[in-house]
Amino acid sequence: MMTTTLTANGYPLNTNPDAYAELRTSNDILKDGEALRERMNDDGYLFFRGLLPRDEILAARREILLKYAAIGELDPGAPVMDAIHCEDSAIGEVNLRAFSESVRSGLAYENIVLHPTLLAFYERLLDGEPKAYDIRWPRFARPGEGCGFHYDGPYMARGTDRLYSSWIPLGDIPRIEGGLIILEPSERQTKLLAGYAGMDADKDKLEWIGLDPEKLRQRFSGRWLGADYEAGDVLCFKMNTLHGALDNNSPLGRCRLSSDTRYQRADEPFDDRWNGDVIEAHGRDKVFYPGLGRWNNKEFQDEWKPVDERGRLAL
């Protein structure tokens, strides 16, 4: 039975006021580049309500969910936009490489990650022309699924360190269905994770920093920050912002749909794992397809699934 308790990786989230709080919105400083940079430096994130048009977000949601419905991941008896999970999917029979590429390259989805309003924000934050990474990460989280806690830097930042992630809910995501949570920055966290922050996930074979949010909070101090997200919201954060996702504990069996994209200045070096005409990322034998089990991200398997020569699941 699906729980209505907030959990992360199966561990309960401490929701006492000294352990969990709401994300601070930054709509009030959206047009002020200097203020944006100062707050990003202080808080490690910027959260905007209604930054992107809701109707365009929902168009991207529909585009992506129709593709998941086509491979049987959604209940055929429910409206596609409700994203109700179906246990009897054909995921083991499809070419995951082709499927993943089709989801990432949809026009409605591209219109979101390259939206003029989002790029204009990044131009102010970066004080220069922004460019999104060539690869994008739309995330489909089934009931019971979440994400371990980590920094993005070791996975993304072989190029410039002036790089930011944008997490965009592709639909309304009440916190019971998961969504991103961020740990407030602290001197203790910075000191304890200084070595980790400079690592390379591929070369150093990194796993998640941890799975239990309360143990991590006690180790690094600070509060976890989250929200009930709505279509149109955008959450941006630094490469050394500790974050992960709450579990999707939807009482309706709804799948959670969101997007991760990275942005930097166009005139600075890019991480070649994620940019260029041919992107093989963690290897040609792996395809971005989150969920389906938990491995503490060993060999990246929580998010990148091994496939055979025909692109089929090889777990």
Side-chain angles (χ1 to χ4, degrees):
M1 178 179 295
M2 189 64 64
T3 178
T4 56
T5 301
L6 297 182
T7 64
N9 307 295
Y11 295 94
L13 181 74
N14 182 349
T15 55
N16 291 332
D18 63 341
Y20 180 68
E22 295 288 308
L23 289 162
R24 173 163 67 155
T25 59
S26 290
N27 294 65
D28 59 320
I29 59 170
L30 177 60
K31 303 296 185 180
D32 187 337
E34 184 175 351
L36 290 171
R37 288 187 288 276
E38 182 177 349
R39 186 171 294 181
M40 177 69 86
N41 184 63
D42 291 344
D43 292 355
Y45 73 92
L46 295 167
F47 178 45
F48 302 102
R49 288 289 191 185
L51 182 67
L52 301 177
R54 181 179 178 88
D55 60 338
E56 294 184 43
I57 292 287
L58 295 182
R61 175 181 177 84
R62 180 173 179 81
E63 176 185 77
I64 292 173
L65 289 179
L66 282 171
K67 296 175 182 180
Y68 277 95
I71 63 170
E73 285 269 30
L74 299 183
D75 183 350
V80 167
M81 291 292 275
D82 286 355
I84 305 302
H85 186 236
C86 179
E87 297 288 347
D88 186 24
S89 80
I91 189 59
E93 305 302 320
V94 302
N95 182 331
L96 274 188
R97 186 175 291 112
F99 176 78
S100 181
E101 177 64 24
S102 75
V103 172
R104 294 198 307 268
S105 60
L107 178 59
Y109 177 52
E110 183 169 276
N111 287 343
I112 293 302
V113 299
L114 299 180
H115 198 280
T117 300
L118 187 57
L119 294 180
F121 151 70
Y122 270 111
E123 185 169 10
R124 289 190 291 273
L125 178 67
L126 292 163
D127 195 24
E129 180 187 354
K131 185 182 184 303
Y133 269 23
D134 290 334
I135 193 171
R136 293 85 190 249
W137 292 261
R139 292 177 177 272
F140 180 84
R142 302 159 194 80
E145 294 181 348
C147 180
F149 297 102
H150 60 285
Y151 282 179
D152 276 358
Y155 297 88
M156 303 290 161
R158 281 185 187 170
T160 180
D161 59 0
R162 284 205 296 176
L163 175 68
Y164 299 95
S165 293
S166 278
W167 185 85
I168 303 173
L170 298 177
D172 297 337
I173 303 179
R175 67 195 77 205
I176 195 62
E177 293 181 3
L180 208 76
I181 57 173
I182 282 174
L183 188 64
E184 288 177 318
S186 67
E187 290 185 11
R188 179 178 177 84
Q189 180 192 143
T190 300
K191 180 178 179 180
L192 290 175
L193 290 178
Y196 171 87
M199 289 183 176
D200 184 297
D202 293 86
K203 297 175 182 177
D204 296 313
K205 306 297 182 184
L206 294 184
E207 298 181 1
W208 299 133
I209 293 174
L211 299 175
D212 185 333
E214 181 60 13
K215 284 186 177 180
L216 290 172
R217 189 188 69 81
Q218 292 181 11
R219 180 184 178 192
F220 299 126
S221 76
R223 299 172 297 175
W224 288 106
L225 307 175
D228 287 319
Y229 298 103
E230 299 178 0
D233 295 346
V234 177
L235 175 58
C236 307
F237 51 95
K238 300 194 299 183
M239 291 294 101
N240 62 343
T241 296
L242 184 56
H243 67 284
L246 292 176
D247 297 333
N248 178 4
N249 291 328
S250 170
L252 303 175
R254 189 191 320 279
C255 299
R256 182 179 75 236
L257 189 63
S258 62
S259 168
D260 296 337
T261 320
R262 275 80 201 184
Y263 300 82
Q264 66 169 77
R265 280 181 57 135
D267 59 357
E268 294 185 344
F270 282 81
D271 188 328
D272 58 8
R273 285 173 292 189
W274 312 111
N275 296 279
D277 295 333
V278 179
I279 299 174
E280 295 185 353
H282 298 307
R284 179 66 177 169
D285 63 336
K286 295 182 180 67
V287 170
F288 182 70
Y289 201 82
L292 303 180
R294 291 175 180 161
W295 297 269
N296 200 31
N297 213 32
K298 184 176 178 62
E299 299 296 328
F300 311 109
Q301 285 194 109
D302 285 7
E303 300 185 321
W304 291 82
K305 299 298 179 289
V307 294
D308 62 20
E309 66 280 359
R310 300 176 65 189
R312 295 189 179 183
L313 194 64
L315 278 174

